[in-house]
């Protein structure tokens, strides 16, 4: 009886591992659009490596789900163990190995710098984000290894008592709920990033006003762009920029001789513009 329970526990660990690794994968949603973007000449030297890394993550995700489903069957525990360990080994080791040939082309940079640069091309555009991706990758590998350990010597094919079977059905339902939540959040965040990227492109394309009578239209356009953003943070930056610009314009009319106050508003506008540019630069990866 205990051995059959171990199979179920291993299946839950594998499902949790898939849920964990889905978060990095969500950064490539919609996958078709990102794969098309990899065909750009800017990616020419790295396209194959990036596609292989993406494939490794996705195959790991799929195999884990398949193996989790197999946990309820009487398939040999040895097969289940290898289905847990092999993808985990590939996910942990192969992406690092794939970076080595690229790193040799840039001897002036350390391996870590090249590795981070490559992962930035995978849309993980900040050191913090890369750190989270690597942490979740290691966590997913750990969960797979833990599942394999759980399956070790779990050979008893006896049926599980009904009360335990029902308990594990509840566990499975909870795991399915977690998986759905992660998937929905991943899709929502992917949609928000796409909206933010479009807002940044629209903002960059706005012609700067050359005359005072064009400022109102420019500010109105910025507010319209702010409404189309996907994240509250970027929206607040655009709103702050437009509010400060409105105040500055009003000040030039009501207090045109107040150079100190005008300079303060000018500096504030420059600062928030820099923040917008920095935020948008992190979304510039195709």
């Amino acid at each position: 009886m205990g051995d059959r329970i171990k199979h179920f526990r291993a299946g839950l660990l594998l499902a949790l591992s898939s849920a964990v690794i889905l978060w990095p994968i969500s950064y490539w949603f919609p996958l078709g659009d990102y794969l098309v973007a990899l065909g750009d000449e800017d990616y020419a030297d790295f396209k194959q490596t990036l596609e292989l890394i993406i494939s490794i993550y996705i195959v790991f995700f799929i195999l884990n789900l398949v193996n989790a489903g197999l946990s309820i069957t009487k398939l040999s525990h040895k097969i289940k163990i290898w289905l847990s360990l092999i993808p985990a080994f590939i996910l942990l080791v192969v992406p690092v190995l794939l970076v080595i040939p690229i790193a040799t082309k840039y001897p002036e940079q350390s391996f870590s710098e090249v590795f981070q640069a490559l992962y930035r091309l995978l849309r993980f555009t900040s050191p913090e984000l890369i750190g989270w991706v690597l942490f979740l990758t290691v966590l997913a590998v750990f969960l797979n290894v833990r599942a394999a350990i759980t399956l070790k010597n779990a050979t008893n094919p006896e049926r599980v008592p009904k009360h335990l079977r029902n308990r594990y059905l509840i566990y499975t339902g909870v795991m399915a709920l977690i998986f759905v939540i992660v998937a929905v959040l991943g899709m929502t965040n992917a949609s928000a990033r796409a909206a933010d990227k479009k807002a940044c492109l629209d903002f960059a394309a706005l012609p700067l006003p050359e005359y005072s009578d064009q400022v109102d239209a420019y500010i109105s356009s910025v507010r319209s762009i702010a409404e189309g953003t996907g994240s509250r943070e970027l929206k607040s930056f655009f709103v702050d920029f437009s509010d400060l610009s409105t105040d500055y314009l009003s000040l030039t009319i009501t207090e045109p001789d107040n150079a100190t106050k005008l300079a303060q508003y000018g500096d504030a506008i420059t600062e928030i513009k820099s923040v917008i540019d920095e935020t948008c630069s992190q979304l510039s990866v195709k």
Side-chain angles (χ1 to χ4, degrees):
M1 178 182 69
D3 288 349
R4 291 292 293 155
I5 289 296
K6 290 178 182 178
H7 283 249
F8 294 158
R9 289 175 179 170
L12 292 175
L13 287 171
L14 292 168
L16 179 59
S17 179
S18 281
V20 165
I21 213 62
L22 183 59
W23 185 82
I25 291 175
S26 71
Y27 272 75
W28 306 319
F29 291 163
L31 184 60
D33 291 349
Y34 184 57
L35 292 178
V36 169
L38 292 182
D40 191 282
E41 60 180 10
D42 293 340
Y43 288 94
D45 294 336
F46 316 108
K47 177 182 177 182
Q48 187 173 12
T49 299
L50 296 174
E51 289 178 341
L52 284 172
I53 293 175
I54 291 171
S55 298
I56 288 169
Y57 274 81
I58 292 176
V59 169
F60 176 89
F61 169 78
I62 294 173
L63 284 180
N64 266 10
L65 289 183
V66 171
N67 203 16
L70 291 175
S71 66
I72 64 174
T73 71
K74 294 184 179 180
L75 183 69
S76 169
H77 71 292
K78 293 182 179 180
I79 296 176
K80 296 176 184 178
I81 289 174
W82 285 114
L83 285 175
S84 300
L85 291 179
I86 292 176
F89 175 81
I90 293 174
L91 179 66
L92 183 65
V93 175
V94 174
V96 177
L97 296 179
L98 289 173
V99 179
I100 294 177
I102 298 176
T104 58
K105 298 178 181 180
Y106 302 93
E108 70 281 0
Q109 295 180 310
S110 67
F111 180 85
S112 176
E113 290 173 331
V114 175
F115 185 87
Q116 290 185 57
L118 194 66
Y119 266 65
R120 280 195 291 270
L121 294 180
L122 289 168
R123 291 182 173 171
F124 308 127
T125 51
S126 69
E128 295 78 15
L129 192 52
I130 294 174
W132 272 109
V133 169
L134 296 180
F135 169 75
L136 292 176
T137 299
V138 172
L139 177 59
V141 170
F142 169 79
L143 290 171
N144 271 49
V145 173
R146 189 67 187 84
I149 293 173
T150 302
L151 287 166
K152 187 178 180 181
N153 299 322
T155 59
N156 191 341
E158 293 182 17
R159 293 177 60 85
V160 178
K162 185 176 180 179
H163 71 283
L164 286 178
R165 186 170 66 249
N166 291 341
R167 181 188 303 173
Y168 273 83
L169 285 174
I170 294 173
Y171 293 160
T172 301
V174 172
M175 184 58 63
L177 179 60
I178 293 173
F179 193 89
V180 169
I181 291 173
V182 172
V184 170
L185 288 176
M187 294 297 293
T188 301
N189 290 336
S191 177
R193 285 191 296 271
D196 282 350
K197 183 176 179 180
K198 183 180 183 304
C200 287
L201 292 173
D202 290 343
F203 180 68
L206 275 181
L208 293 174
E210 297 181 3
Y211 305 101
S212 58
D213 59 353
Q214 297 175 334
V215 175
D216 284 337
Y218 178 80
I219 295 174
S220 177
S221 296
V222 173
R223 286 192 174 277
S224 177
I225 290 172
E227 292 302 319
T229 57
S231 66
R232 292 182 180 179
E233 182 182 39
L234 186 59
K235 180 179 181 178
S236 69
F237 294 154
F238 281 127
V239 170
D240 289 346
F241 178 81
S242 63
D243 287 344
L244 287 169
S245 298
T246 299
D247 292 341
Y248 182 84
L249 179 62
S250 176
L251 193 64
T252 60
I253 298 172
T254 59
E255 302 180 49
D257 298 327
N258 194 336
T260 300
K261 200 168 185 179
L262 285 170
Q264 290 175 344
Y265 272 92
D267 291 342
I269 290 172
T270 300
E271 183 178 349
I272 193 65
K273 176 66 164 54
S274 298
V275 172
I276 291 173
D277 290 342
E278 173 62 24
T279 303
C280 286
S281 70
Q282 297 180 8
L283 297 167
S284 61
V285 178
K286 296 178 177 64

